[in-house]
Amino acid sequence: QDGGDGHDEL
Amino acid sequence: MNIFRLVADLMHLGSILILLLKMFTSRSCAGISFKTQALYLIVFVTRYLDLFTHFVSVYNTFMKIFFISSAGYILYMMRVPLKDTYNKHLDAFRWEFLLGGAGVLALVFTHKYTVIETLWTYSIFLEMMAILPQLLQLQRTGEAETITTHYLFALGAYRALYIVNWIYRYETEHHVDAISTMAGIVQTALYCDFFYVYFTRVLKGKRFKLP
């Protein structure tokens, strides 16, 4: 969840 | 999603609407840095490439499309209908350094060496510094229209609320993204001088004027 492709913020 | 991030995003959206309102009502882009606006378009395009690969929510998709298209529209307004009101001599920041510097930082700090991830990191570092041409222009002019200062305040408030959002996310989800947090703190700090003048002058009904 830290970093990687899962950016959920704008 | 939490309330701080939601309000932050709405302030960001609101800042763009204020900027468009300024351009429409005054039929002028005087006082606005084209370079800062162009940097924001690059920021949005490089950050939101995941529109095609990673679905978060309808809200998230809508906002990404809004930010990219409004940034493109603002550049069009400044270049075509309002071209004669743009003062290139006041917009003198050497933005090549920002474009290059963000590139170096992205290559050093990115979480993963994939194209999308490195461009995401690039967008974070570029956004960190994208307001500098606008702040330089403000400093050179020494004063600003009130509506322009509301635009800048909304933009700065959006950044400050993101810090609160990260603290909240750390407490509730143990979620930390070191890159966006560090860059976000630097970015918010750039607004300190502006906030001071905004609170002590503009909110008291006076004109924005640097001491």
Side-chain angles (χ1 to χ4, degrees):
Chain A
Q1 146 129 7
D2 189 354
D5 290 319
H7 303 298
D8 59 350
E9 294 181 347
L10 284 163
Chain B
M1 178 57 81
N2 58 62
I3 185 73
F4 307 110
R5 195 172 9 145
L6 180 64
V7 176
D9 290 341
L10 294 178
M11 295 289 280
H12 192 187
L13 189 133
S15 74
I16 292 167
L17 296 179
I18 293 171
L19 179 57
L20 289 171
L21 186 73
K22 176 232 159 8
M23 289 180 169
F24 280 120
T25 52
S26 65
R27 299 302 301 164
S28 159
C29 64
I32 304 298
S33 163
F34 180 84
K35 288 175 181 169
T36 284
Q37 298 305 319
L39 289 170
Y40 282 136
L41 178 64
I42 300 170
V43 165
F44 295 140
V45 170
T46 50
R47 187 173 308 165
Y48 299 153
L49 287 173
D50 68 354
L51 264 174
F52 303 104
T53 59
H54 174 70
F55 177 78
V56 179
S57 64
V58 174
Y59 163 82
N60 186 279
T61 301
F62 169 83
M63 295 291 262
K64 285 173 173 169
I65 293 171
F66 174 82
F67 288 135
I68 293 174
S69 47
S70 61
Y73 183 65
I74 287 166
L75 291 187
Y76 160 78
M77 288 286 284
M78 294 186 79
R79 265 293 181 261
V80 185
L82 305 180
K83 188 167 173 272
D84 297 337
T85 61
Y86 170 65
N87 188 337
K88 156 170 143 215
H89 302 292
L90 289 173
D91 196 9
F93 197 92
R94 300 289 299 275
W95 64 338
E96 301 84 353
F97 293 114
L98 304 187
L99 290 162
V104 173
L105 289 170
L107 288 173
V108 173
F109 290 106
T110 186
H111 292 299
K112 268 195 310 191
Y113 286 97
T114 61
V115 174
I116 287 198
E117 189 62 25
T118 309
L119 285 174
W120 178 88
T121 313
Y122 180 72
S123 82
I124 293 290
F125 287 120
L126 196 61
E127 186 189 358
M128 173 174 93
M129 306 179 288
I131 199 64
L132 289 174
Q134 178 65 60
L135 292 178
L136 177 85
Q137 176 157 349
L138 204 65
Q139 210 167 53
R140 288 201 155 192
T141 328
E143 53 182 10
E145 289 170 75
T146 302
I147 192 161
T148 305
T149 66
H150 293 327
Y151 161 67
L152 286 169
F153 172 74
L155 210 52
Y158 137 67
R159 292 314 315 180
L161 281 168
Y162 253 84
I163 297 179
V164 184
N165 153 66
W166 291 322
I167 295 169
Y168 181 84
R169 289 192 77 174
Y170 177 72
E171 294 294 336
T172 56
E173 307 165 38
H174 293 283
H175 169 100
V176 184
D177 187 313
I179 294 174
S180 30
T181 308
M182 287 305 146
I185 290 171
V186 173
Q187 192 180 348
T188 311
L190 298 180
Y191 285 88
C192 285
D193 286 348
F194 167 81
F195 281 149
Y196 178 76
V197 183
Y198 186 81
F199 285 121
T200 55
R201 291 195 60 94
V202 181
L203 287 190
K204 290 182 179 155
K206 293 186 220 160
R207 213 179 139 65
F208 183 94
K209 210 166 158 32
L210 292 177

PDB file of all heavy atoms in Angstrom, chain B residues 16-27:
ATOM      1  N   ILE B  16      -9.641  26.644  -9.219  1.00  0.00           N
ATOM      2  CA  ILE B  16      -9.673  26.696 -10.689  1.00  0.00           C
ATOM      3  C   ILE B  16     -10.903  27.482 -11.158  1.00  0.00           C
ATOM      4  O   ILE B  16     -10.818  28.294 -12.086  1.00  0.00           O
ATOM      5  CB  ILE B  16      -9.655  25.260 -11.261  1.00  0.00           C
ATOM      6  CG1 ILE B  16      -8.290  24.625 -10.956  1.00  0.00           C
ATOM      7  CG2 ILE B  16      -9.924  25.267 -12.764  1.00  0.00           C
ATOM      8  CD1 ILE B  16      -8.228  23.140 -11.176  1.00  0.00           C
ATOM      9  N   LEU B  17     -12.031  27.269 -10.487  1.00  0.00           N
ATOM     10  CA  LEU B  17     -13.238  28.017 -10.864  1.00  0.00           C
ATOM     11  C   LEU B  17     -13.036  29.517 -10.618  1.00  0.00           C
ATOM     12  O   LEU B  17     -13.483  30.348 -11.404  1.00  0.00           O
ATOM     13  CB  LEU B  17     -14.456  27.494 -10.091  1.00  0.00           C
ATOM     14  CG  LEU B  17     -14.841  26.036 -10.394  1.00  0.00           C
ATOM     15  CD1 LEU B  17     -16.048  25.607  -9.552  1.00  0.00           C
ATOM     16  CD2 LEU B  17     -15.149  25.843 -11.885  1.00  0.00           C
ATOM     17  N   ILE B  18     -12.341  29.868  -9.520  1.00  0.00           N
ATOM     18  CA  ILE B  18     -12.068  31.288  -9.238  1.00  0.00           C
ATOM     19  C   ILE B  18     -11.181  31.882 -10.343  1.00  0.00           C
ATOM     20  O   ILE B  18     -11.422  32.987 -10.821  1.00  0.00           O
ATOM     21  CB  ILE B  18     -11.387  31.455  -7.852  1.00  0.00           C
ATOM     22  CG1 ILE B  18     -12.348  31.065  -6.736  1.00  0.00           C
ATOM     23  CG2 ILE B  18     -10.903  32.899  -7.649  1.00  0.00           C
ATOM     24  CD1 ILE B  18     -11.697  30.978  -5.354  1.00  0.00           C
ATOM     25  N   LEU B  19     -10.186  31.122 -10.757  1.00  0.00           N
ATOM     26  CA  LEU B  19      -9.292  31.602 -11.816  1.00  0.00           C
ATOM     27  C   LEU B  19     -10.066  31.815 -13.121  1.00  0.00           C
ATOM     28  O   LEU B  19      -9.890  32.834 -13.803  1.00  0.00           O
ATOM     29  CB  LEU B  19      -8.146  30.598 -12.026  1.00  0.00           C
ATOM     30  CG  LEU B  19      -7.129  30.939 -13.106  1.00  0.00           C
ATOM     31  CD1 LEU B  19      -6.485  32.300 -12.850  1.00  0.00           C
ATOM     32  CD2 LEU B  19      -6.045  29.867 -13.183  1.00  0.00           C
ATOM     33  N   LEU B  20     -10.937  30.856 -13.440  1.00  0.00           N
ATOM     34  CA  LEU B  20     -11.745  31.007 -14.660  1.00  0.00           C
ATOM     35  C   LEU B  20     -12.676  32.209 -14.539  1.00  0.00           C
ATOM     36  O   LEU B  20     -12.856  32.970 -15.494  1.00  0.00           O
ATOM     37  CB  LEU B  20     -12.549  29.724 -14.928  1.00  0.00           C
ATOM     38  CG  LEU B  20     -11.715  28.520 -15.389  1.00  0.00           C
ATOM     39  CD1 LEU B  20     -12.564  27.251 -15.401  1.00  0.00           C
ATOM     40  CD2 LEU B  20     -11.148  28.775 -16.796  1.00  0.00           C
ATOM     41  N   LEU B  21     -13.238  32.396 -13.346  1.00  0.00           N
ATOM     42  CA  LEU B  21     -14.134  33.538 -13.109  1.00  0.00           C
ATOM     43  C   LEU B  21     -13.381  34.854 -13.306  1.00  0.00           C
ATOM     44  O   LEU B  21     -13.888  35.787 -13.922  1.00  0.00           O
ATOM     45  CB  LEU B  21     -14.691  33.443 -11.685  1.00  0.00           C
ATOM     46  CG  LEU B  21     -15.759  34.465 -11.304  1.00  0.00           C
ATOM     47  CD1 LEU B  21     -17.070  34.116 -12.005  1.00  0.00           C
ATOM     48  CD2 LEU B  21     -15.970  34.504  -9.797  1.00  0.00           C
ATOM     49  N   LYS B  22     -12.160  34.907 -12.776  1.00  0.00           N
ATOM     50  CA  LYS B  22     -11.333  36.106 -12.959  1.00  0.00           C
ATOM     51  C   LYS B  22     -11.121  36.395 -14.453  1.00  0.00           C
ATOM     52  O   LYS B  22     -11.262  37.525 -14.905  1.00  0.00           O
ATOM     53  CB  LYS B  22      -9.964  35.926 -12.266  1.00  0.00           C
ATOM     54  CG  LYS B  22      -9.000  37.096 -12.480  1.00  0.00           C
ATOM     55  CD  LYS B  22      -7.671  36.613 -12.982  1.00  0.00           C
ATOM     56  CE  LYS B  22      -6.764  37.567 -13.691  1.00  0.00           C
ATOM     57  NZ  LYS B  22      -6.989  38.950 -13.805  1.00  0.00           N
ATOM     58  N   MET B  23     -10.808  35.349 -15.183  1.00  0.00           N
ATOM     59  CA  MET B  23     -10.545  35.534 -16.617  1.00  0.00           C
ATOM     60  C   MET B  23     -11.812  35.961 -17.365  1.00  0.00           C
ATOM     61  O   MET B  23     -11.750  36.824 -18.242  1.00  0.00           O
ATOM     62  CB  MET B  23      -9.998  34.240 -17.218  1.00  0.00           C
ATOM     63  CG  MET B  23      -8.587  33.937 -16.774  1.00  0.00           C
ATOM     64  SD  MET B  23      -8.020  32.396 -17.520  1.00  0.00           S
ATOM     65  CE  MET B  23      -6.298  32.460 -17.113  1.00  0.00           C
ATOM     66  N   PHE B  24     -12.934  35.377 -17.013  1.00  0.00           N
ATOM     67  CA  PHE B  24     -14.182  35.712 -17.712  1.00  0.00           C
ATOM     68  C   PHE B  24     -14.668  37.120 -17.368  1.00  0.00           C
ATOM     69  O   PHE B  24     -15.064  37.870 -18.247  1.00  0.00           O
ATOM     70  CB  PHE B  24     -15.281  34.699 -17.384  1.00  0.00           C
ATOM     71  CG  PHE B  24     -15.156  33.425 -18.167  1.00  0.00           C
ATOM     72  CD1 PHE B  24     -15.001  32.210 -17.530  1.00  0.00           C
ATOM     73  CD2 PHE B  24     -15.175  33.453 -19.566  1.00  0.00           C
ATOM     74  CE1 PHE B  24     -14.868  31.028 -18.268  1.00  0.00           C
ATOM     75  CE2 PHE B  24     -15.050  32.278 -20.299  1.00  0.00           C
ATOM     76  CZ  PHE B  24     -14.894  31.060 -19.649  1.00  0.00           C
ATOM     77  N   THR B  25     -14.627  37.472 -16.081  1.00  0.00           N
ATOM     78  CA  THR B  25     -15.203  38.762 -15.696  1.00  0.00           C
ATOM     79  C   THR B  25     -14.305  39.923 -16.108  1.00  0.00           C
ATOM     80  O   THR B  25     -14.798  40.952 -16.535  1.00  0.00           O
ATOM     81  CB  THR B  25     -15.470  38.825 -14.175  1.00  0.00           C
ATOM     82  OG1 THR B  25     -14.268  38.462 -13.496  1.00  0.00           O
ATOM     83  CG2 THR B  25     -16.568  37.865 -13.765  1.00  0.00           C
ATOM     84  N   SER B  26     -12.974  39.752 -16.004  1.00  0.00           N
ATOM     85  CA  SER B  26     -12.109  40.881 -16.352  1.00  0.00           C
ATOM     86  C   SER B  26     -11.651  40.818 -17.807  1.00  0.00           C
ATOM     87  O   SER B  26     -10.980  41.736 -18.278  1.00  0.00           O
ATOM     88  CB  SER B  26     -10.895  40.927 -15.414  1.00  0.00           C
ATOM     89  OG  SER B  26     -10.092  39.791 -15.614  1.00  0.00           O
ATOM     90  N   ARG B  27     -11.976  39.722 -18.499  1.00  0.00           N
ATOM     91  CA  ARG B  27     -11.491  39.508 -19.876  1.00  0.00           C
ATOM     92  C   ARG B  27      -9.981  39.729 -19.923  1.00  0.00           C
ATOM     93  O   ARG B  27      -9.462  40.362 -20.848  1.00  0.00           O
ATOM     94  CB  ARG B  27     -12.203  40.428 -20.885  1.00  0.00           C
ATOM     95  CG  ARG B  27     -13.707  40.255 -20.985  1.00  0.00           C
ATOM     96  CD  ARG B  27     -14.148  38.866 -21.350  1.00  0.00           C
ATOM     97  NE  ARG B  27     -13.639  38.374 -22.626  1.00  0.00           N
ATOM     98  CZ  ARG B  27     -13.670  37.076 -22.970  1.00  0.00           C
ATOM     99  NH1 ARG B  27     -14.144  36.164 -22.141  1.00  0.00           N
ATOM    100  NH2 ARG B  27     -13.207  36.699 -24.136  1.00  0.00           N
TER     101      ARG B  27
END
